[in-house]
PDB file of all heavy atoms in Angstrom:
ATOM      1  N   GLY J   1     -29.392   6.822  96.207  1.00 97.00           N
ATOM      2  CA  GLY J   1     -29.556   8.210  95.796  1.00 97.00           C
ATOM      3  C   GLY J   1     -28.401   8.758  94.984  1.00 97.00           C
ATOM      4  O   GLY J   1     -28.403   9.937  94.610  1.00 97.00           O
ATOM      5  N   GLY J   2     -27.423   7.901  94.674  1.00 97.00           N
ATOM      6  CA  GLY J   2     -26.259   8.385  93.933  1.00 97.00           C
ATOM      7  C   GLY J   2     -26.510   8.607  92.460  1.00 97.00           C
ATOM      8  O   GLY J   2     -25.808   9.375  91.802  1.00 97.00           O
ATOM      9  N   PHE J   3     -27.523   7.912  91.917  1.00 98.00           N
ATOM     10  CA  PHE J   3     -27.845   8.044  90.494  1.00 98.00           C
ATOM     11  C   PHE J   3     -29.270   8.591  90.396  1.00 98.00           C
ATOM     12  O   PHE J   3     -30.246   7.891  90.641  1.00 98.00           O
ATOM     13  CB  PHE J   3     -27.745   6.674  89.818  1.00 98.00           C
ATOM     14  CG  PHE J   3     -27.790   6.726  88.299  1.00 98.00           C
ATOM     15  CD1 PHE J   3     -27.646   5.556  87.561  1.00 98.00           C
ATOM     16  CD2 PHE J   3     -27.975   7.908  87.598  1.00 98.00           C
ATOM     17  CE1 PHE J   3     -27.685   5.561  86.178  1.00 98.00           C
ATOM     18  CE2 PHE J   3     -28.018   7.938  86.221  1.00 98.00           C
ATOM     19  CZ  PHE J   3     -27.871   6.761  85.508  1.00 98.00           C
ATOM     20  N   GLN J   4     -29.369   9.857  90.033  1.00 97.00           N
ATOM     21  CA  GLN J   4     -30.657  10.534  89.928  1.00 97.00           C
ATOM     22  C   GLN J   4     -31.008  10.784  88.463  1.00 97.00           C
ATOM     23  O   GLN J   4     -30.142  11.130  87.659  1.00 97.00           O
ATOM     24  CB  GLN J   4     -30.632  11.862  90.680  1.00 97.00           C
ATOM     25  CG  GLN J   4     -30.408  11.729  92.182  1.00 97.00           C
ATOM     26  CD  GLN J   4     -31.599  11.089  92.870  1.00 97.00           C
ATOM     27  OE1 GLN J   4     -32.750  11.342  92.535  1.00 97.00           O
ATOM     28  NE2 GLN J   4     -31.316  10.239  93.868  1.00 97.00           N
ATOM     29  N   MET J   5     -32.291  10.602  88.136  1.00 98.00           N
ATOM     30  CA  MET J   5     -32.748  10.867  86.770  1.00 98.00           C
ATOM     31  C   MET J   5     -33.959  11.791  86.794  1.00 98.00           C
ATOM     32  O   MET J   5     -34.880  11.588  87.592  1.00 98.00           O
ATOM     33  CB  MET J   5     -33.091   9.544  86.059  1.00 98.00           C
ATOM     34  CG  MET J   5     -31.878   8.693  85.750  1.00 98.00           C
ATOM     35  SD  MET J   5     -32.300   7.098  84.991  1.00 98.00           S
ATOM     36  CE  MET J   5     -32.766   6.156  86.442  1.00 98.00           C
ATOM     37  N   LYS J   6     -33.925  12.780  85.927  1.00 98.00           N
ATOM     38  CA  LYS J   6     -35.026  13.738  85.821  1.00 98.00           C
ATOM     39  C   LYS J   6     -35.819  13.435  84.550  1.00 98.00           C
ATOM     40  O   LYS J   6     -35.274  13.472  83.450  1.00 98.00           O
ATOM     41  CB  LYS J   6     -34.478  15.168  85.784  1.00 98.00           C
ATOM     42  CG  LYS J   6     -33.734  15.563  87.061  1.00 98.00           C
ATOM     43  CD  LYS J   6     -33.175  16.974  86.963  1.00 98.00           C
ATOM     44  CE  LYS J   6     -32.430  17.355  88.245  1.00 98.00           C
ATOM     45  NZ  LYS J   6     -31.852  18.731  88.160  1.00 98.00           N
ATOM     46  N   TYR J   7     -37.100  13.152  84.730  1.00 98.00           N
ATOM     47  CA  TYR J   7     -37.967  12.726  83.624  1.00 98.00           C
ATOM     48  C   TYR J   7     -38.817  13.893  83.130  1.00 98.00           C
ATOM     49  O   TYR J   7     -39.467  14.589  83.914  1.00 98.00           O
ATOM     50  CB  TYR J   7     -38.866  11.599  84.126  1.00 98.00           C
ATOM     51  CG  TYR J   7     -39.801  11.009  83.094  1.00 98.00           C
ATOM     52  CD1 TYR J   7     -39.328  10.122  82.126  1.00 98.00           C
ATOM     53  CD2 TYR J   7     -41.159  11.309  83.114  1.00 98.00           C
ATOM     54  CE1 TYR J   7     -40.196   9.560  81.201  1.00 98.00           C
ATOM     55  CE2 TYR J   7     -42.031  10.745  82.190  1.00 98.00           C
ATOM     56  CZ  TYR J   7     -41.540   9.873  81.235  1.00 98.00           C
ATOM     57  OH  TYR J   7     -42.387   9.313  80.312  1.00 98.00           O
ATOM     58  N   HIS J   8     -38.820  14.100  81.814  1.00 97.00           N
ATOM     59  CA  HIS J   8     -39.581  15.196  81.217  1.00 97.00           C
ATOM     60  C   HIS J   8     -40.563  14.646  80.185  1.00 97.00           C
ATOM     61  O   HIS J   8     -40.170  13.913  79.268  1.00 97.00           O
ATOM     62  CB  HIS J   8     -38.650  16.194  80.534  1.00 97.00           C
ATOM     63  CG  HIS J   8     -37.667  16.839  81.474  1.00 97.00           C
ATOM     64  ND1 HIS J   8     -37.968  17.971  82.201  1.00 97.00           N
ATOM     65  CD2 HIS J   8     -36.398  16.492  81.815  1.00 97.00           C
ATOM     66  CE1 HIS J   8     -36.922  18.314  82.945  1.00 97.00           C
ATOM     67  NE2 HIS J   8     -35.955  17.423  82.725  1.00 97.00           N
ATOM     68  N   LEU J   9     -41.834  15.000  80.313  1.00 94.00           N
ATOM     69  CA  LEU J   9     -42.863  14.581  79.369  1.00 94.00           C
ATOM     70  C   LEU J   9     -42.693  15.299  78.037  1.00 94.00           C
ATOM     71  O   LEU J   9     -42.050  16.365  77.965  1.00 94.00           O
ATOM     72  CB  LEU J   9     -44.250  14.884  79.931  1.00 94.00           C
ATOM     73  CG  LEU J   9     -44.704  14.038  81.130  1.00 94.00           C
ATOM     74  CD1 LEU J   9     -45.960  14.629  81.740  1.00 94.00           C
ATOM     75  CD2 LEU J   9     -44.951  12.591  80.697  1.00 94.00           C
ATOM     76  N   GLY J  10     -43.287  14.745  76.985  1.00 91.00           N
ATOM     77  CA  GLY J  10     -43.211  15.355  75.670  1.00 91.00           C
ATOM     78  C   GLY J  10     -43.724  16.784  75.685  1.00 91.00           C
ATOM     79  O   GLY J  10     -44.779  17.068  76.247  1.00 91.00           O
ATOM     80  N   GLY J  11     -42.943  17.696  75.119  1.00 90.00           N
ATOM     81  CA  GLY J  11     -43.313  19.103  75.071  1.00 90.00           C
ATOM     82  C   GLY J  11     -42.718  19.926  76.200  1.00 90.00           C
ATOM     83  O   GLY J  11     -42.735  21.162  76.152  1.00 90.00           O
ATOM     84  N   ALA J  12     -42.187  19.257  77.226  1.00 94.00           N
ATOM     85  CA  ALA J  12     -41.631  19.979  78.368  1.00 94.00           C
ATOM     86  C   ALA J  12     -40.259  20.582  78.057  1.00 94.00           C
ATOM     87  O   ALA J  12     -39.842  21.550  78.691  1.00 94.00           O
ATOM     88  CB  ALA J  12     -41.526  19.059  79.580  1.00 94.00           C
ATOM     89  N   LEU J  13     -39.545  20.005  77.095  1.00 95.00           N
ATOM     90  CA  LEU J  13     -38.257  20.530  76.656  1.00 95.00           C
ATOM     91  C   LEU J  13     -38.387  21.026  75.214  1.00 95.00           C
ATOM     92  O   LEU J  13     -39.291  20.626  74.492  1.00 95.00           O
ATOM     93  CB  LEU J  13     -37.167  19.450  76.738  1.00 95.00           C
ATOM     94  CG  LEU J  13     -36.908  18.819  78.112  1.00 95.00           C
ATOM     95  CD1 LEU J  13     -35.806  17.768  77.993  1.00 95.00           C
ATOM     96  CD2 LEU J  13     -36.540  19.882  79.128  1.00 95.00           C
ATOM     97  N   THR J  14     -37.462  21.874  74.809  1.00 95.00           N
ATOM     98  CA  THR J  14     -37.506  22.408  73.446  1.00 95.00           C
ATOM     99  C   THR J  14     -36.862  21.440  72.463  1.00 95.00           C
ATOM    100  O   THR J  14     -35.971  21.801  71.685  1.00 95.00           O
ATOM    101  CB  THR J  14     -36.795  23.770  73.378  1.00 95.00           C
ATOM    102  OG1 THR J  14     -35.461  23.621  73.882  1.00 95.00           O
ATOM    103  CG2 THR J  14     -37.531  24.812  74.177  1.00 95.00           C
ATOM    104  N   ILE J  15     -37.316  20.212  72.517  1.00 94.00           N
ATOM    105  CA  ILE J  15     -36.837  19.162  71.616  1.00 94.00           C
ATOM    106  C   ILE J  15     -38.061  18.496  71.006  1.00 94.00           C
ATOM    107  O   ILE J  15     -38.945  18.025  71.711  1.00 94.00           O
ATOM    108  CB  ILE J  15     -36.013  18.096  72.377  1.00 94.00           C
ATOM    109  CG1 ILE J  15     -34.794  18.725  73.048  1.00 94.00           C
ATOM    110  CG2 ILE J  15     -35.573  16.979  71.419  1.00 94.00           C
ATOM    111  CD1 ILE J  15     -34.042  17.772  73.971  1.00 94.00           C
ATOM    112  N   LYS J  16     -38.135  18.470  69.691  1.00 91.00           N
ATOM    113  CA  LYS J  16     -39.258  17.828  69.024  1.00 91.00           C
ATOM    114  C   LYS J  16     -39.168  16.316  69.205  1.00 91.00           C
ATOM    115  O   LYS J  16     -38.081  15.754  69.346  1.00 91.00           O
ATOM    116  CB  LYS J  16     -39.256  18.164  67.536  1.00 91.00           C
ATOM    117  CG  LYS J  16     -39.502  19.624  67.210  1.00 91.00           C
ATOM    118  CD  LYS J  16     -39.475  19.857  65.712  1.00 91.00           C
ATOM    119  CE  LYS J  16     -39.723  21.315  65.371  1.00 91.00           C
ATOM    120  NZ  LYS J  16     -39.668  21.543  63.892  1.00 91.00           N
ATOM    121  N   ALA J  17     -40.323  15.671  69.160  1.00 90.00           N
ATOM    122  CA  ALA J  17     -40.347  14.212  69.292  1.00 90.00           C
ATOM    123  C   ALA J  17     -39.492  13.552  68.225  1.00 90.00           C
ATOM    124  O   ALA J  17     -38.838  12.531  68.473  1.00 90.00           O
ATOM    125  CB  ALA J  17     -41.785  13.705  69.210  1.00 90.00           C
ATOM    126  N   THR J  18     -39.467  14.140  67.031  1.00 89.00           N
ATOM    127  CA  THR J  18     -38.685  13.583  65.921  1.00 89.00           C
ATOM    128  C   THR J  18     -37.188  13.820  66.083  1.00 89.00           C
ATOM    129  O   THR J  18     -36.398  13.288  65.307  1.00 89.00           O
ATOM    130  CB  THR J  18     -39.160  14.192  64.587  1.00 89.00           C
ATOM    131  OG1 THR J  18     -39.163  15.624  64.698  1.00 89.00           O
ATOM    132  CG2 THR J  18     -40.565  13.717  64.238  1.00 89.00           C
ATOM    133  N   ASP J  19     -36.797  14.613  67.086  1.00 95.00           N
ATOM    134  CA  ASP J  19     -35.378  14.908  67.307  1.00 95.00           C
ATOM    135  C   ASP J  19     -34.801  14.187  68.523  1.00 95.00           C
ATOM    136  O   ASP J  19     -33.645  14.414  68.886  1.00 95.00           O
ATOM    137  CB  ASP J  19     -35.166  16.418  67.489  1.00 95.00           C
ATOM    138  CG  ASP J  19     -35.307  17.183  66.190  1.00 95.00           C
ATOM    139  OD1 ASP J  19     -35.091  16.579  65.125  1.00 95.00           O
ATOM    140  OD2 ASP J  19     -35.642  18.379  66.238  1.00 95.00           O
ATOM    141  N   ILE J  20     -35.578  13.329  69.147  1.00 96.00           N
ATOM    142  CA  ILE J  20     -35.096  12.647  70.346  1.00 96.00           C
ATOM    143  C   ILE J  20     -33.879  11.773  70.047  1.00 96.00           C
ATOM    144  O   ILE J  20     -32.915  11.738  70.819  1.00 96.00           O
ATOM    145  CB  ILE J  20     -36.223  11.816  71.000  1.00 96.00           C
ATOM    146  CG1 ILE J  20     -37.241  12.770  71.646  1.00 96.00           C
ATOM    147  CG2 ILE J  20     -35.662  10.851  72.041  1.00 96.00           C
ATOM    148  CD1 ILE J  20     -38.440  12.077  72.268  1.00 96.00           C
ATOM    149  N   THR J  21     -33.883  11.079  68.916  1.00 97.00           N
ATOM    150  CA  THR J  21     -32.730  10.244  68.540  1.00 97.00           C
ATOM    151  C   THR J  21     -31.454  11.080  68.519  1.00 97.00           C
ATOM    152  O   THR J  21     -30.421  10.686  69.075  1.00 97.00           O
ATOM    153  CB  THR J  21     -32.937   9.625  67.143  1.00 97.00           C
ATOM    154  OG1 THR J  21     -34.213   9.012  67.073  1.00 97.00           O
ATOM    155  CG2 THR J  21     -31.866   8.587  66.850  1.00 97.00           C
ATOM    156  N   THR J  22     -31.527  12.225  67.870  1.00 98.00           N
ATOM    157  CA  THR J  22     -30.368  13.113  67.754  1.00 98.00           C
ATOM    158  C   THR J  22     -29.961  13.676  69.107  1.00 98.00           C
ATOM    159  O   THR J  22     -28.762  13.775  69.420  1.00 98.00           O
ATOM    160  CB  THR J  22     -30.687  14.275  66.797  1.00 98.00           C
ATOM    161  OG1 THR J  22     -31.089  13.744  65.537  1.00 98.00           O
ATOM    162  CG2 THR J  22     -29.470  15.165  66.600  1.00 98.00           C
ATOM    163  N   ALA J  23     -30.949  14.039  69.931  1.00 98.00           N
ATOM    164  CA  ALA J  23     -30.659  14.616  71.243  1.00 98.00           C
ATOM    165  C   ALA J  23     -29.917  13.631  72.133  1.00 98.00           C
ATOM    166  O   ALA J  23     -29.016  14.015  72.883  1.00 98.00           O
ATOM    167  CB  ALA J  23     -31.961  15.054  71.915  1.00 98.00           C
ATOM    168  N   VAL J  24     -30.268  12.360  72.050  1.00 98.00           N
ATOM    169  CA  VAL J  24     -29.564  11.332  72.829  1.00 98.00           C
ATOM    170  C   VAL J  24     -28.146  11.157  72.298  1.00 98.00           C
ATOM    171  O   VAL J  24     -27.180  11.144  73.061  1.00 98.00           O
ATOM    172  CB  VAL J  24     -30.304   9.981  72.791  1.00 98.00           C
ATOM    173  CG1 VAL J  24     -29.481   8.905  73.509  1.00 98.00           C
ATOM    174  CG2 VAL J  24     -31.671  10.099  73.440  1.00 98.00           C
ATOM    175  N   GLY J  25     -28.012  11.037  70.992  1.00 98.00           N
ATOM    176  CA  GLY J  25     -26.695  10.840  70.393  1.00 98.00           C
ATOM    177  C   GLY J  25     -25.738  11.983  70.662  1.00 98.00           C
ATOM    178  O   GLY J  25     -24.529  11.773  70.795  1.00 98.00           O
ATOM    179  N   ASP J  26     -26.276  13.209  70.782  1.00 98.00           N
ATOM    180  CA  ASP J  26     -25.448  14.389  71.058  1.00 98.00           C
ATOM    181  C   ASP J  26     -25.263  14.647  72.547  1.00 98.00           C
ATOM    182  O   ASP J  26     -24.632  15.632  72.936  1.00 98.00           O
ATOM    183  CB  ASP J  26     -26.073  15.634  70.416  1.00 98.00           C
ATOM    184  CG  ASP J  26     -26.001  15.606  68.895  1.00 98.00           C
ATOM    185  OD1 ASP J  26     -25.212  14.807  68.353  1.00 98.00           O
ATOM    186  OD2 ASP J  26     -26.738  16.385  68.249  1.00 98.00           O
ATOM    187  N   ASN J  27     -25.847  13.791  73.382  1.00 98.00           N
ATOM    188  CA  ASN J  27     -25.759  13.922  74.834  1.00 98.00           C
ATOM    189  C   ASN J  27     -26.446  15.177  75.367  1.00 98.00           C
ATOM    190  O   ASN J  27     -26.118  15.684  76.438  1.00 98.00           O
ATOM    191  CB  ASN J  27     -24.309  13.888  75.325  1.00 98.00           C
ATOM    192  CG  ASN J  27     -24.210  13.435  76.785  1.00 98.00           C
ATOM    193  OD1 ASN J  27     -25.069  12.706  77.268  1.00 98.00           O
ATOM    194  ND2 ASN J  27     -23.170  13.868  77.464  1.00 98.00           N
ATOM    195  N   VAL J  28     -27.390  15.694  74.616  1.00 98.00           N
ATOM    196  CA  VAL J  28     -28.225  16.780  75.110  1.00 98.00           C
ATOM    197  C   VAL J  28     -29.132  16.225  76.207  1.00 98.00           C
ATOM    198  O   VAL J  28     -29.416  16.875  77.204  1.00 98.00           O
ATOM    199  CB  VAL J  28     -29.073  17.389  73.967  1.00 98.00           C
ATOM    200  CG1 VAL J  28     -30.069  18.413  74.494  1.00 98.00           C
ATOM    201  CG2 VAL J  28     -28.156  18.029  72.928  1.00 98.00           C
TER     202      VAL J  28
END
């Protein structure tokens, strides 16, 4: 239980599918 991950389906966050690469690189 020390490493928890929260999974969000497409559209659940204010991040476009085309911006996922950038969101990961920026640590968003």
Side-chain angles (χ1 to χ4, degrees):
F3 191 177
Q4 297 291 322
M5 290 177 280
K6 297 178 180 179
Y7 182 77
H8 299 274
L9 290 169
L13 301 180
T14 55
I15 300 172
K16 294 180 180 179
T18 52
D19 287 335
I20 289 177
T21 310
T22 304
V24 175
D26 291 343
N27 204 27
V28 173

